[in-house]
């Protein structure tokens, strides 16, 4: 096997530019943990210029646990979400679950997406502050999950990990690292994303800068 | 500028595992992190890829059918010596991981991977490779700088010195360099070090004559915290610092009898105990000593221990004074001229015939160091493109007047220059001394291209 996998190409470098997305469809898979669907939708809408809408997958995707581990097999679930996205004609489709995710090779994953793929998967299980001895904070979990979703959407748009430590596309393997990078795209990533995904200004017209995540007051 | 234009190319990773799911997961993972990835399901495929393309890092599964990861590691590192190998084990198999590490693997990681651990491991391996290649590059640069001898001279005497350096450099023999002050004894020490197998180790110089006895002891042997008043920190001595390299003891003849005893002990045992310490530390250094004194006479007079003398007097290199090798003077002068014009950002300069003759016939009691200083001064004072006799220090220039005839114009030039310098470039005063009016003096300054230079 070589490097010829078309999914490996950075789609953001295609001469035609990134493909436009009309909306982001959010499907809750087997419930959420630490926050609610409405809060999550609101948090994502606040950070993305695209319309975010809830969808219900029918039938719900088959959930397969990882052998010998109390986790869902993220790759298999992602495969099912990709099938659903194609069936619905909805790109991108984001599945969010409260179940912990893993893959055979990694002890856990916060989320999963293939470069240039149709669907992404994010878990809120490890985003809960109480897991780290802190007070439960549904709003913080929603903002963290929104950040993870934007990160995976970046991959769907063809972006690889960014070297800018304050960009949401920066690699983070812990909640602390994810909080530090925040939930905004750096200018370099933002310009290579589908139009509207990374607005330069918020609803009030204020320019958006780096935004590390902190617990709600 | 594009985003990637200023960046180094991403590291290239070869992943070898017989499980396609592992290759898929790792391939996606590394691509998302910006790495270039090749994957192979067996050793044969991996060796083919390694022969076709460059890889910085290889992740090898230990358990594979046919050629296993350990054997593949051996073959790959034989083909690509600078490849950093990380072995992957399905379970904590310490035995095979240790075998891999002993065979030169950078590290190992156990499946399933913690994402953070894998990311850090690959990042560290990349940094390690970059430091290793930087280290090699710097060593090459150092070798190219240290390689050519800084000793200049075409005379038979200097050729003999060069031959002696070549003969002794490769060994670990102690070298004693003898010569008058300013003949370049430290350059000989540097040349011995630079041509020895220790050239990538440190060259540590101790000027024994410049330090009082107590300070010299502390410098040579180091001291523990609290060894004496003011010893607030542990201090490594020069013997320790020279570990793996060369220790140059300059002006060794000035060492006091008490320090001579300690010096002899360390030179013989190659073990040093810091002042105030109780543990002796092993250190591996080569000794080059230098003196401008008559050590044999010092031994006869009881000022220098004969056992230390014989310890140092293993291989002697005598540096002849400059007056005994006048044929080296033009080359040395030219060498310094080029060095100083470059350092002072001056245009290319040359010596006038008279200036060169002056240099050649001067006795140079201060040897090469005096010649170097004379040329430096001349470059400061001289007007390009030619250095004249008047640009040389008075002592050198004065001898030249008796050494050879000068033209009337040159005498005038030298004289005016001296008067100007003597009057601190006060034109009125200089004109008065010279017995000419200020206008004439200005005309002569222009004619001879004099420039006022603030120099000591």
């Amino acid at each position: 096997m070589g490097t010829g996998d078309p999914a490996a190409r950075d789609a953001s470098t295609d001469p035609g530019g990134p493909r436009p997305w009309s909306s982001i469809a959010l499907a809750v898979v087997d419930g959420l943990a630490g926050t609610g669907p409405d809060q999550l939708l609101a948090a994502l809408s606040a950070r993305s210029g695209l319309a975010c809408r809830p969808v219900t997958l029918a039938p719900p995707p088959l959930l397969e646990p990882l052998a010998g581990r109390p986790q869902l097999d993220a790759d298999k679930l992602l495969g099912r979400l990709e099938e659903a996205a194609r069936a619905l004609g909805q790109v991108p489709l984001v599945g969010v679950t409260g179940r912990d995710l893993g893959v055979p090779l990694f002890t856990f994953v916060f989320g999963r997406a293939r470069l240039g793929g149709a669907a992404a998967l994010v878990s809120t299980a490890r985003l809960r502050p109480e897991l780290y001895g802190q007070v439960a904070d549904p709003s913080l979990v929603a903002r963290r999950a929104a950040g993870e979703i934007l990160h995976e959407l970046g991959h769907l748009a063809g972006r690889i990990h960014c070297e800018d430590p304050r960009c949401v596309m920066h690699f983070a393997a812990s909640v602390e690292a994810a909080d530090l990078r925040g939930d905004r795209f750096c200018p370099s990533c933002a310009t290579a994303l589908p139009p509207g995904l990374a607005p330069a200004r918020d609803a009030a017209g204020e320019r958006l800068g780096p935004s590390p995540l902190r617990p709600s007051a | 500028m594009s985003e990637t234009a200023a960046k180094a190319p991403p590291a290239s990773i070869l992943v070898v595992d017989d499980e396609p799911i592992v290759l898929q997961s790792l391939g996606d993972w590394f691509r998302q992190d910006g790495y270039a990835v090749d994957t192979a399901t067996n050793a044969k495929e991996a060796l083919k890829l390694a022969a076709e393309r460059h890889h910085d890092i290889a992740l090898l599964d230990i358990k594979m059918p046919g050629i296993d990861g350990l054997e593949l590691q051996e073959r790959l590192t034989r083909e690509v010596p600078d490849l950093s190998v990380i072995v992957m084990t399905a379970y904590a198999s310490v035995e095979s991981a240790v075998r891999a590490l002993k065979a030169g693997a950078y590290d190992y990681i156990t499946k399933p991977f913690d994402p953070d651990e894998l990311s850090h491991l690959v990042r560290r391996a990349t940094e390690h490779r970059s430091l290793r290649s930087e280290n090699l590059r710097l060593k090459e640069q150092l070798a190219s700088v240290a390689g050519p001898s800084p000793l200049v001279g075409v005379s038979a005497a200097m050729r003999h010195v060069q031959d002696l350096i070549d003969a002794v450099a490769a060994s670990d023999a102690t070298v004693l360099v003898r010569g008058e002050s300013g003949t370049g004894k430290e350059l000989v020490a540097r040349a011995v070090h630079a041509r020895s197998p220790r050239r990538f180790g440190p060259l540590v110089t101790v000027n024994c004559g410049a330090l009082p006895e107590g300070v010299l002891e502390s410098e040579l042997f180091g001291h523990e915290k609290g060894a004496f008043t003011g010893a607030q920190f542990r201090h490594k001595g020069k013997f320790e610092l020279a570990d793996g390299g060369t220790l140059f003891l300059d002006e060794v003849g000035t060492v006091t009898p008490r320090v001579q005893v300690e010096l002899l002990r360390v030179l013989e045992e190659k073990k040093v105990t810091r002042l105030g310490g109780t543990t002796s530390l092993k250190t591996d250094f080569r000794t080059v000593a230098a003196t401008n004194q008559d050590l044999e006479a010092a031994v006869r007079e009881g000022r220098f221990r004969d056992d230390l003398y014989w310890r140092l007097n293993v291989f002697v290199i005598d540096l002849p004074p400059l007056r005994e090798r006048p044929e080296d003077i033009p080359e040395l002068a030219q060498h310094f001229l080029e060095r100083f014009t470059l350092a002072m950002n001056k245009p290319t300069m040359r010596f006038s015939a008279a200036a060169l003759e002056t240099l050649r016939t001067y006795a140079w009691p201060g040897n090469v160091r005096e010649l170097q200083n004379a040329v430096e001064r001349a470059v400061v004072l001289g007007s390009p493109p030619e250095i004249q006799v008047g640009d040389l220090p008075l002592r050198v220039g004065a001898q030249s007047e008796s050494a050879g005839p000068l033209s009337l114009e040159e005498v005038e030039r030298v004289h005016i220059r001296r008067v100007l310098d003597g009057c601190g470039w006060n034109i009125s005063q200089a004109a008065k001394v010279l017995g000419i009016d200020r206008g004439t003096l200005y005309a002569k300054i222009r004619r001879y291209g004099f420039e006022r230079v603030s120099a000591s």
Side-chain angles (χ1 to χ4, degrees):
Chain A
M1 291 166 73
T3 50
D5 181 1
R9 278 185 289 113
D10 189 344
S12 63
T13 59
D14 282 352
R19 285 165 296 173
W21 290 340
S22 54
S23 65
I24 301 167
L26 206 64
V28 174
V29 179
D30 204 30
L32 293 180
T35 192
D38 293 341
Q39 258 180 309
L40 175 56
L41 211 57
L44 186 60
S45 300
R47 280 150 190 83
S48 163
L50 293 176
C52 304
R53 58 188 186 86
V55 292
T56 306
L57 300 179
L62 184 65
L63 306 178
E64 288 184 64
L66 270 176
R69 287 154 61 174
Q71 294 171 313
L72 293 181
D73 188 322
D75 282 342
K76 286 184 177 164
L77 183 51
L78 179 65
R80 302 214 162 89
L81 289 171
E82 284 175 331
E83 283 167 18
R86 279 191 289 272
L88 292 169
Q90 168 61 51
V91 176
L93 171 68
V94 181
V96 192
T97 179
R99 303 280 297 273
D100 193 19
L101 297 174
V103 291
L105 196 58
F106 293 110
T107 50
F108 75 91
V109 289
F110 286 130
R112 207 74 172 145
R114 284 182 242 280
L115 286 172
L121 173 62
V122 165
S123 164
T124 59
R126 290 179 186 247
L127 306 180
R128 293 169 297 149
E130 55 267 41
L131 210 64
Y132 312 96
Q134 293 163 343
V135 184
D137 188 341
S139 167
L140 177 62
V141 174
R143 282 183 291 139
R144 282 174 172 170
E148 289 302 322
I149 290 170
L150 288 172
H151 180 94
E152 300 305 340
L153 286 173
H155 286 321
L156 293 188
R159 292 305 288 175
I160 58 172
H161 288 153
C162 178
E163 286 182 16
D164 185 341
R166 296 189 303 173
C167 174
V168 74
M169 288 312 294
H170 191 68
F171 171 75
S174 67
V175 165
E176 293 86 355
D179 284 351
L180 280 173
R181 78 181 175 194
D183 55 7
R184 304 281 184 214
F185 291 98
C186 70
S188 172
C189 285
T191 52
L193 293 171
L197 181 59
R201 294 176 188 278
D202 66 11
E206 290 294 314
R207 181 166 284 281
L208 294 170
S211 166
L213 300 181
R214 295 187 181 86
S216 312
Chain B
M1 191 164 55
S2 76
E3 186 195 358
T4 53
K7 293 179 189 169
S12 169
I13 300 177
L14 173 65
V15 186
V16 190
D17 198 304
D18 58 323
E19 292 180 68
I21 182 81
V22 172
L23 297 182
Q24 178 71 45
S25 288
L26 280 179
D28 287 350
W29 174 267
F30 287 126
R31 283 182 199 111
Q32 285 187 351
D33 230 2
Y35 295 101
V37 190
D38 276 332
T39 56
T41 53
N42 56 55
K44 196 177 159 195
E45 218 177 301
L47 287 164
K48 189 167 173 284
L49 276 169
E52 286 169 359
R53 284 200 280 271
H54 167 81
H55 300 98
D56 301 300
I57 298 166
L59 273 107
L60 313 179
D61 186 28
I62 285 191
K63 291 237 182 267
M64 285 192 295
I67 300 172
D68 70 5
L70 292 172
E71 196 181 332
L72 176 60
Q73 176 193 348
E74 198 184 315
R75 290 201 196 180
L76 275 174
T77 46
R78 207 165 44 223
E79 300 294 322
V80 193
D82 65 337
L83 185 71
S84 294
V85 174
I86 297 170
V87 292
M88 307 183 284
T89 57
Y91 47 86
S93 165
V94 175
E95 195 191 330
S96 46
V98 168
R99 272 179 60 205
L101 292 175
K102 276 186 176 169
Y106 173 72
D107 211 336
Y108 76 98
I109 188 163
T110 310
K111 294 179 191 172
F113 308 139
D114 178 284
D116 206 16
E117 191 187 348
L118 178 65
S119 184
H120 274 106
L121 183 57
V122 172
R123 222 168 274 261
R124 274 207 324 270
T126 312
E127 284 166 6
H128 176 76
R129 274 183 56 80
S130 135
L131 286 173
R132 204 169 51 190
S133 54
E134 188 181 356
N135 185 287
L136 281 173
R137 201 178 65 247
L138 288 172
K139 276 186 175 175
E140 278 170 17
Q141 276 179 8
L142 189 65
S144 69
V145 170
S149 166
L151 287 165
V152 177
V154 291
S155 63
M158 281 312 288
R159 283 206 307 272
H160 181 58
V161 168
Q162 298 274 17
D163 290 345
L164 289 175
I165 292 170
D166 285 337
V168 75
S171 73
D172 245 359
T174 298
V175 177
L176 179 62
V177 190
R178 299 189 300 199
E180 289 179 12
S181 182
T183 45
K185 296 184 287 296
E186 183 167 354
L187 293 186
V188 172
R190 287 186 180 280
V192 169
H193 176 73
R195 297 179 205 179
S196 77
R198 293 173 175 272
R199 62 186 173 279
F200 295 128
L203 170 65
V204 177
T205 299
V206 186
N207 190 335
C208 304
L211 303 169
E213 185 182 63
V215 180
L216 178 62
E217 266 188 305
S218 169
E219 278 295 295
L220 282 173
F221 309 112
H223 61 73
E224 294 290 345
K225 183 181 175 183
F228 48 83
T229 311
Q232 292 178 318
F233 305 101
R234 171 184 283 177
H235 173 74
K236 277 189 176 183
K238 301 287 189 188
F239 287 117
E240 277 181 78
L241 294 174
D243 190 26
T246 304
L247 180 71
F248 175 49
L249 298 169
D250 201 5
E251 296 190 42
V252 75
T254 61
V255 175
T256 60
R258 190 160 66 85
V259 179
Q260 285 178 29
V261 177
E262 288 300 307
L263 190 55
L264 177 65
R265 193 180 54 72
V266 178
L267 293 181
E268 285 188 335
E269 297 175 5
K270 292 286 168 77
K271 281 182 183 172
V272 64
T273 306
R274 294 185 192 132
L275 301 181
T278 51
T279 316
S280 66
L281 306 159
K282 202 162 169 47
T283 172
D284 169 34
F285 60 90
R286 187 235 190 108
T287 310
V288 178
T291 183
N292 59 2
Q293 297 186 359
D294 183 349
L295 280 190
E296 288 87 344
V299 170
R300 281 195 304 276
E301 291 162 14
R303 288 184 286 112
F304 202 82
R305 293 180 66 96
D306 62 345
D307 43 10
L308 178 59
Y309 171 73
W310 290 113
R311 167 59 57 185
L312 296 174
N313 190 19
V314 177
F315 190 95
V316 176
I317 298 177
D318 283 313
L319 265 178
L322 195 51
R323 64 182 171 279
E324 290 179 13
R325 47 186 181 109
E327 62 267 47
D328 286 340
I329 292 171
E331 195 188 345
L332 277 164
Q334 185 61 33
H335 168 75
F336 291 132
L337 182 64
E338 285 168 12
R339 206 171 95 187
F340 290 124
T341 47
L342 198 68
M344 295 178 205
N345 205 19
K346 285 216 166 192
T348 308
M349 294 175 88
R350 60 177 180 268
F351 294 103
S352 70
L356 201 57
E357 183 61 16
T358 302
L359 295 174
R360 212 184 60 74
T361 52
Y362 181 61
W364 300 109
N367 288 297
V368 183
R369 187 180 295 127
E370 188 186 1
L371 173 61
Q372 176 182 326
N373 293 346
V375 175
E376 184 175 10
R377 182 184 187 277
V379 172
V380 171
L381 293 175
S383 310
E386 208 165 67
I387 287 174
Q388 307 294 341
V389 175
D391 300 325
L392 298 170
L394 287 177
R395 201 156 71 127
V396 180
Q399 175 166 313
S400 78
E401 286 171 23
S402 58
L406 296 175
S407 68
L408 195 59
E409 187 183 5
E410 194 138 19
V411 168
E412 182 186 75
R413 183 184 190 285
V414 170
H415 185 60
I416 292 174
R417 182 62 191 242
R418 275 188 198 157
V419 172
L420 278 167
D421 286 344
C423 298
W425 276 71
N426 182 325
I427 301 296
S428 300
Q429 196 184 338
K432 196 174 168 188
V433 171
L434 291 166
I436 54 177
D437 59 44
R438 294 170 74 244
T440 307
L441 180 54
Y442 275 121
K444 288 188 184 293
I445 287 171
R446 277 196 300 276
R447 179 178 166 193
Y448 293 126
F450 292 154
E451 278 177 38
R452 183 173 188 171
V453 179
S454 303
S456 57

